[in-house]
Amino acid sequence: MMSEFLTGREKQIVRSGTTSEAILCAKPSLAGSVSQRACVFCGSRVVLYPISDALHLIHGPIGCAVYTWDIRGALSSGPELHRNSFSTDLQEKDVVFGGEKKLYASLIELIDRYKPKAAFVYSTCLVGVIGDDLEAVCKKVGLEKSIPVIPVQAPGFNGTKKDGYKVACEALATLVGTSDREIPKFSINILGDFNIAGELWLLLDYYRRMGIHVNATITGDGRVDAIRNAHKASLNVVQCSGSMMYLAKLMQEKYGVPFMRVSYFGLEDMSEALYGVAKFFKDKDLMIKASEIVKEEFLRIMPVIKEYKEKLQGKKAAIYVGGSFKAISLIKALRLIGVQTVVVGSQTGTSEDYELIQQLCDEGTIIVDDSNPIELSTFVKEKKADIFIGGVKERPIAYKLGLGFCDHNHERKEALAGYEGMLNFAKEIYATAMSPVWQFTR
Amino acid sequence: MDIAVKEGPESFSSLRNACKLCSPLGASVVFKGIEGCIPMIHGSQGCATYIRRYLISHYKEPVDIASSNFSEETTIFGGHKNFNNGLDNIIKQYHPGVIGISSACLSETIGEDINMLIKEYEASNKDTDLPVLIHASTPGYQGTHIDGFHDTVTASVAVLAEENQSGTHINIFPGFVSPEDIRHLKDILDSFGFDYVLFPDYSDSLDNPNWSEYHLIPPGGTPVADLRRTGSASASIEFGYVLNEGTTNSRIKKNKQSFTAAKWLEKNRNVSANRLGLPIGIRETDRFFELLKKLSGKETDRKYTMERGRLIDSYVDGHKYLFGKRAIVYGDEDLVIGTVLFLLEIGIEPVLIASGGVGESLKPILDRLTEGKTKDIPVMNNMDFESINEKSDALKPDILIGSSKGYYVARRLGIPIVRTGFPVHDRFGAQRLQHVGYKGTQQLFDRIVNALIEHKQEDSAVGYKYM
Ligand code: SF4
Ligand code: SF4
């Protein structure tokens, strides 16, 4: 028998069609819950991480740095400096006497050794408490070494992962606009794709075929120089609203670069994105090319999708991912292959997204914000889900209960964006739903 | 500032790809080894989430670790409200028998007195049937996950071990070994007919079979009743030479002296302590069996003399593939020591012995145990992987032996890596890796020989399929 749910969490759980109430979200996790959420630092780190020619130094005790060493599948086509974990490894004496000297020495030696184009310096909980003047040290080193040294003020206790996204965007904003190179006419920036398993490269190919120039990719396969010049683009195309919207808004205010929110996940959303960009430039040619690409890809992919759909018809899925925007795309993509979503939730959802999810889902679908293992395991049992879509932390829950699983987090090694990604997704769902191993578990 | 950048690890004040983890991780593993226990980290959310993820990726099991979720307010006004709410919520949700509370950097720095918080909590809930509350002080900026591990073993024993008439049972504290290792040790102890308490026993809780019902707290673990019995045992056995004694000297606040559980029981409960190295290799495993013979008054079961015999037989069969091969060994100090002693038995030459452990005892202990054989080998504490990486070219190693995090070094060098210890994040079956006993050594030996053979085979222009 399951224990009762934590009181104080009822409002973060709704059943679609049974209530007109909006879901409560953006609440700090309750003490004592085993939240699947991470911290502010984590949020900033995941966003900035793919900038591969920058030094990422984590000022704090060792844990924060070592647990985030090269755990994400964000690929780079060039430098790989980002795949290291640099830490000031604060010790007890630093806690007592302050860590500024160590930070300074670390920055100098690492910049000398690795010659990065910029340095991001993350503060963590401990630094937030011992009161090191991160900003002053960064400024000093920046002057001495003549590269941007950017403080990322991200003590973990200062909020949730989502707050970390904002901190990261602020850090990026200090880079944007510090270079002035001319770029071609139809130029966009891609915001919010992290090039997991090379996804960005799929997108670049579509845009190239369309005749669009991609100026800066922020931050997937990201480079400091390109980000510095990002304000020159005509449009910011922002994926997965959670992490990068803030930067898009900042750039609109400061440089007048408009933005567009897209999702590259699933056929509909991917096509919408291409059409949207073409529409923005009000160019007939672009529009024609976009529809050519869409047609070509649909012709290639739909027959395969149909086959999957026939076999997967009637399967039920539970979704628990980082952001609610991604959840929306997933619901649609699953529907395309005949899978019904019965549980959906996210770590850091927004109320608008949740509302949309409520409309999108069938009656009785459970919608939940900032969930935990107890709830998740209860929900998937109750709803008789066959497949769970989530991150590493959810995988063992799914497997222990005899459910199939699809990793839709940033650690995965499969590209799931774009048309090609939809095929990979269908293949993975199919493989996990149809495996003969479940005959021994259910 | 007088930091000049030279090559070599000593000149870096930062850590570059650390070869250590923080102490609450070790504490959480130990708490998972107590029956009915939920670990809680008193600190911010991120630490617990990261540690969970790290453990899940290794054990492929659900690992629930609660957090008291510090917010900005908490860090200013103190964590007692979060602490109490945290415990309330865990009890309501999980109905645990035990809550294992470890501290984190943040709670330690703002000076939380967790023992007092526990007393207050117990006092204000006198009328309810509370779970056992165990606290280990584990600031991440002191020592490593290994210190956190052993400190927590000691803390748990110190809270629970009762002073009773001495019994006939023994205690065994194997340290941070794999679930399969623990199962093997239990088989060995059973074969001698011991009544024993093995702690921490996460052989089930971190390696469970598939379930039909979800378990909020995975079955398995050392029962609390057994932990109480540790105080009346006739003897304790602990594996490790460095344990948590390596870092005591580097502590500023000498607010606590680190005892191992066996030493604590010897001092406070009169249970004699027997310290052995991790039983890896013939010699160290022989010493373990000798001790078991002495304590039980029985002979070693034929099953194990046969295992020993087969191991020696394979040493002979495989020796030519190994002799003179150069190995870089890295990881937790005691596993490194066990591995090095084993390698010296089979003719592999360690050329760099590295640990992320922060004490200074690794080198002197190794020199003593090997009677000087490691004297001219670089033995380095507080190492990180970039330092190993930079040194490795000159050392011309043939193989790396340690956690999966060294893979990138092996890949760059184009040499094999044999994964041992924790973490193993890039291979399947980390829970079932064996290291200890004749049988564990056998597995390790086979893996090393095969890695070297495979490398030679793949490198060969001929592609032979017979050897
Ligand atoms: S080092 Fe300290 S702050 Fe960082 S994860 Fe470990 S306990 Fe938390
Ligand atoms: S110490 Fe703070 S910043 Fe570091 S992992 Fe924990 S919560 Fe995040």
Side-chain angles (χ1 to χ4, degrees):
Chain A
M1 208 24 236
M2 287 293 163
S3 319
E4 57 191 294
F5 293 137
L6 294 182
T7 36
R9 284 218 15 92
E10 303 91 339
K11 284 195 168 11
Q12 280 169 279
I13 305 165
V14 301
R15 280 160 201 265
S16 170
T18 57
T19 169
S20 53
E21 249 178 81
I23 192 167
L24 198 66
C25 54
K27 262 190 70 163
S29 307
L30 283 176
S33 55
V34 181
S35 168
Q36 310 290 79
R37 268 182 190 171
C39 61
V40 182
F41 159 71
C42 175
S44 66
R45 173 95 167 112
V46 298
V47 167
L48 298 174
Y49 171 77
I51 304 174
S52 61
D53 56 355
L55 176 81
H56 300 268
L57 173 64
I58 296 160
H59 186 37
I62 194 61
C64 326
V66 76
Y67 299 131
T68 53
W69 175 22
D70 197 22
I71 55 169
R72 295 162 68 83
L75 302 186
S76 163
S77 55
E80 299 221 306
L81 188 53
H82 67 301
R83 294 186 55 197
N84 293 292
S85 154
F86 298 116
S87 166
T88 50
D89 184 26
L90 292 182
Q91 297 294 306
E92 189 173 17
K93 63 174 186 311
D94 306 313
V95 174
V96 178
F97 302 114
E100 286 175 24
K101 270 194 185 162
K102 198 168 189 185
L103 174 60
Y104 175 82
S106 301
L107 270 171
I108 297 283
E109 72 192 9
L110 292 171
I111 291 170
D112 284 346
R113 169 79 174 76
Y114 296 98
K115 314 248 177 312
K117 290 272 176 140
F120 292 99
V121 185
Y122 304 76
S123 68
T124 57
C125 286
L126 192 56
V127 174
V129 172
I130 63 178
D132 281 357
D133 191 344
L134 201 67
E135 217 139 312
V137 178
C138 288
K139 206 162 171 194
K140 186 165 172 222
V141 176
L143 285 173
E144 274 174 48
K145 294 287 161 194
S146 314
I147 59 165
V149 179
I150 303 156
V152 185
Q153 302 280 9
F157 57 75
N158 256 341
T160 66
K161 190 168 169 185
K162 207 155 84 182
D163 299 294
Y165 298 154
K166 193 173 156 209
V167 174
C169 287
E170 279 163 358
L172 286 167
T174 66
L175 271 182
V176 174
T178 56
S179 143
D180 219 14
R181 271 176 292 118
E182 283 314 312
I183 54 172
K185 187 161 131 215
F186 297 131
S187 281
I188 62 167
N189 297 322
I190 297 185
L191 267 63
D193 184 282
F194 302 108
N195 200 23
I196 306 301
E199 281 176 356
L200 176 78
W201 297 328
L202 294 172
L203 305 177
L204 289 182
D205 180 55
Y206 303 141
Y207 284 125
R208 187 187 49 77
R209 280 155 65 188
M210 250 175 89
I212 297 278
H213 172 77
V214 175
N215 177 36
T217 56
I218 309 177
T219 57
D221 201 5
R223 298 291 186 281
V224 172
D225 282 344
I227 296 169
R228 297 176 71 155
N229 209 40
H231 59 297
K232 292 289 219 177
S234 315
L235 174 68
N236 277 329
V237 182
V238 195
Q239 125 127 327
C240 177
S241 62
S243 58
M244 281 291 181
M245 273 311 272
Y246 189 69
L247 179 68
K249 284 181 185 157
L250 280 180
M251 283 178 68
Q252 184 171 41
E253 272 166 38
K254 198 159 168 200
Y255 304 101
V257 184
F259 64 83
M260 199 176 93
R261 200 173 133 168
V262 302
S263 162
Y264 298 119
F265 187 73
L267 298 184
E268 292 168 52
D269 288 5
M270 181 66 231
S271 308
E272 273 304 308
L274 297 183
Y275 287 137
V277 171
K279 217 179 279 164
F280 171 83
F281 284 107
K282 301 198 180 67
D283 183 278
K284 244 226 212 101
D285 248 21
L286 287 179
M287 202 47 150
I288 294 170
K289 291 225 189 82
S291 50
E292 273 170 19
I293 295 174
V294 171
K295 208 186 285 159
E296 212 175 288
E297 297 287 334
F298 261 72
L299 280 177
R300 187 167 72 89
I301 274 163
M302 277 324 269
V304 192
I305 294 288
K306 217 179 249 141
E307 269 175 47
Y308 283 122
K309 185 171 179 174
E310 272 159 27
K311 291 175 185 146
L312 286 168
Q313 201 63 257
K315 295 280 180 198
K316 295 182 187 138
I319 300 172
Y320 190 74
V321 286
S324 45
F325 195 63
K326 180 152 66 179
I328 297 175
S329 294
L330 276 166
I331 296 169
K332 291 197 252 175
L334 284 166
R335 189 168 291 166
L336 190 70
I337 51 172
V339 179
Q340 183 198 357
T341 302
V342 289
V343 179
V344 50
S346 79
Q347 291 167 27
T348 53
T350 65
S351 44
E352 304 95 66
D353 289 342
Y354 281 128
E355 222 165 272
L356 190 59
I357 289 175
Q358 287 203 43
Q359 291 165 11
L360 211 59
C361 285
D362 300 324
E363 202 171 304
T365 300
I366 297 174
I367 303 166
V368 57
D369 180 60
D370 182 26
S371 195
N372 54 58
I374 295 190
E375 287 176 3
L376 290 174
S377 59
T378 316
F379 293 152
V380 295
K381 279 231 116 173
E382 182 196 319
K383 287 292 176 185
K384 300 203 167 48
D386 304 288
I387 306 152
F388 199 109
I389 298 162
V392 167
K393 293 189 294 294
E394 287 79 49
R395 180 167 48 207
I397 301 175
Y399 283 173
K400 274 287 183 263
L401 288 168
L403 261 70
F405 181 79
C406 166
D407 188 353
H408 206 285
N409 224 323
H410 290 262
E411 288 150 40
R412 70 194 142 83
K413 305 281 178 279
E414 289 293 333
L416 298 179
Y419 301 102
E420 201 56 43
M422 185 63 213
L423 273 189
N424 291 339
F425 180 68
K427 201 192 291 170
E428 194 174 340
I429 294 289
Y430 178 71
T432 197
M434 297 303 180
S435 167
V437 301
W438 308 122
Q439 66 182 308
F440 302 108
T441 65
R442 282 172 194 161
Chain B
M1 282 316 121
D2 53 2
I3 308 270
V5 176
K6 295 173 258 139
E7 290 295 315
E10 292 84 0
S11 65
F12 277 88
S13 40
S14 55
L15 269 196
R16 302 168 302 150
N17 301 340
C19 186
K20 64 174 180 183
L21 306 161
C22 72
S23 34
L25 181 138
S28 303
V29 172
V30 173
F31 288 139
K32 291 298 290 179
I34 300 177
E35 191 180 58
C37 179
I38 281 284
M40 173 171 103
I41 298 177
H42 188 43
S44 3
Q45 172 84 72
C47 315
T49 304
Y50 276 141
I51 288 171
R52 285 182 62 216
R53 218 216 58 237
Y54 215 79
L55 292 171
I56 289 171
S57 303
H58 178 88
Y59 292 106
K60 315 262 188 295
E61 286 287 314
V63 181
D64 285 11
I65 299 171
S67 160
S68 55
N69 289 344
F70 271 40
S71 63
E72 196 164 5
E73 266 165 61
T74 327
T75 56
I76 299 167
F77 300 113
H80 89 276
K81 210 172 115 202
N82 284 51
F83 186 85
N84 292 346
N85 288 343
L87 293 182
D88 284 348
N89 281 333
I90 293 172
I91 292 169
K92 217 185 299 166
Q93 268 185 306
Y94 286 88
H95 307 299
V98 183
I99 301 177
I101 304 151
S102 53
S103 49
C105 294
L106 196 54
S107 48
E108 291 280 342
T109 306
I110 65 169
E112 292 280 288
D113 185 345
I114 294 183
N115 283 324
M116 200 189 71
L117 291 176
I118 289 180
K119 279 205 193 97
E120 282 174 12
Y121 187 83
E122 284 173 336
S124 59
N125 288 284
K126 311 202 260 320
D127 307 324
T128 36
D129 208 4
L130 284 184
V132 177
L133 303 177
I134 301 174
H135 161 235
S137 162
T138 51
Y141 52 73
Q142 252 181 11
T144 70
H145 59 296
I146 288 297
D147 298 284
F149 185 101
H150 293 296
D151 286 349
T152 305
V153 173
T154 308
S156 311
V157 166
V159 171
L160 291 169
E162 284 171 353
E163 254 177 310
N164 264 337
Q165 279 267 295
S166 184
T168 53
H169 58 288
I170 61 167
N171 304 321
I172 176 156
F173 305 109
F176 195 14
V177 293
S178 76
E180 189 71 35
D181 282 331
I182 296 178
R183 289 190 282 269
H184 183 51
L185 288 171
K186 293 208 278 195
D187 285 346
I188 294 174
L189 293 165
D190 286 339
S191 79
F192 280 93
F194 280 112
D195 175 12
Y196 61 87
V197 177
L198 184 147
F199 179 65
D201 180 3
Y202 43 82
S203 60
D204 287 343
S205 52
L206 288 178
D207 192 12
N208 256 282
N210 202 264
W211 297 330
S212 52
E213 265 295 312
Y214 193 78
H215 294 272
L216 293 178
I217 302 179
T222 312
V224 168
D226 265 3
L227 279 165
R228 296 196 203 282
R229 289 204 300 152
T230 54
S232 55
S234 59
S236 302
I237 302 173
E238 65 184 0
F239 293 153
Y241 295 107
V242 176
L243 294 145
N244 53 345
E245 295 173 350
T247 57
T248 330
N249 301 336
S250 69
R251 288 190 171 126
I252 292 180
K253 296 181 222 154
K254 287 235 169 78
N255 50 2
K256 85 178 170 179
Q257 225 208 314
S258 290
F259 279 103
T260 64
K263 291 282 178 202
W264 188 93
L265 285 167
E266 185 166 69
K267 185 161 180 278
N268 298 287
R269 297 287 184 273
N270 242 328
V271 182
S272 69
N274 296 276
R275 182 171 291 185
L276 296 172
L278 273 173
I280 305 177
I282 298 282
R283 286 250 152 67
E284 292 289 292
T285 308
D286 280 353
R287 286 156 49 92
F288 177 45
F289 274 89
E290 282 310 313
L291 179 63
L292 294 182
K293 280 189 335 201
K294 196 181 97 190
L295 292 176
S296 68
K298 289 188 186 143
E299 282 308 307
T300 302
D301 193 287
R302 179 169 182 276
K303 184 175 166 191
Y304 298 102
T305 53
M306 289 298 281
E307 278 179 6
R308 183 179 190 275
R310 280 187 213 108
L311 179 60
I312 294 176
D313 196 52
S314 70
Y315 274 19
V316 172
D317 291 341
H319 74 279
K320 279 196 192 166
Y321 302 104
L322 305 175
F323 186 79
K325 288 284 185 285
R326 302 162 66 82
I328 294 180
V329 183
Y330 58 88
D332 306 339
E333 284 141 313
D334 283 307
L335 180 58
V336 161
I337 292 174
T339 308
V340 167
L341 293 177
F342 160 59
L343 294 182
L344 291 175
E345 283 183 352
I346 58 175
I348 292 186
E349 214 180 292
V351 288
L352 173 63
I353 301 167
S355 173
V358 291
E360 269 106 46
S361 55
L362 183 58
K363 173 82 176 159
I365 288 176
L366 263 176
D367 286 350
R368 174 168 61 78
L369 292 170
T370 62
E371 289 161 358
K373 286 202 194 83
T374 48
K375 223 174 73 230
D376 299 322
I377 301 171
V379 178
M380 325 210 70
N381 271 103
N382 211 7
M383 277 295 268
D384 55 27
F385 282 103
E386 266 304 271
S387 305
I388 295 175
N389 197 18
E390 284 162 1
K391 286 185 174 306
S392 62
D393 289 291
L395 294 168
K396 305 218 174 327
D398 299 294
I399 191 166
L400 255 69
I401 301 173
S403 78
S404 69
K405 298 294 166 185
Y407 170 69
Y408 84 103
V409 180
R411 180 185 168 105
R412 191 184 62 78
L413 295 170
I415 61 173
I417 172 173
V418 168
R419 293 164 179 80
T420 60
F422 180 94
V424 177
H425 280 166
D426 64 351
R427 276 294 179 278
F428 201 69
Q431 323 88 306
R432 295 180 295 274
L433 285 183
Q434 277 192 273
H435 312 79
V436 302
Y438 302 121
K439 202 160 146 241
T441 307
Q442 183 75 69
Q443 198 198 73
L444 194 56
F445 180 83
D446 292 347
R447 290 170 64 217
I448 291 173
V449 179
N450 278 332
L452 289 165
I453 289 178
E454 186 179 331
H455 183 65
K456 190 173 169 193
Q457 186 179 29
E458 282 185 353
D459 255 17
S460 140
V462 185
Y464 56 87
K465 44 191 168 307
Y466 182 83
M467 50 167 247

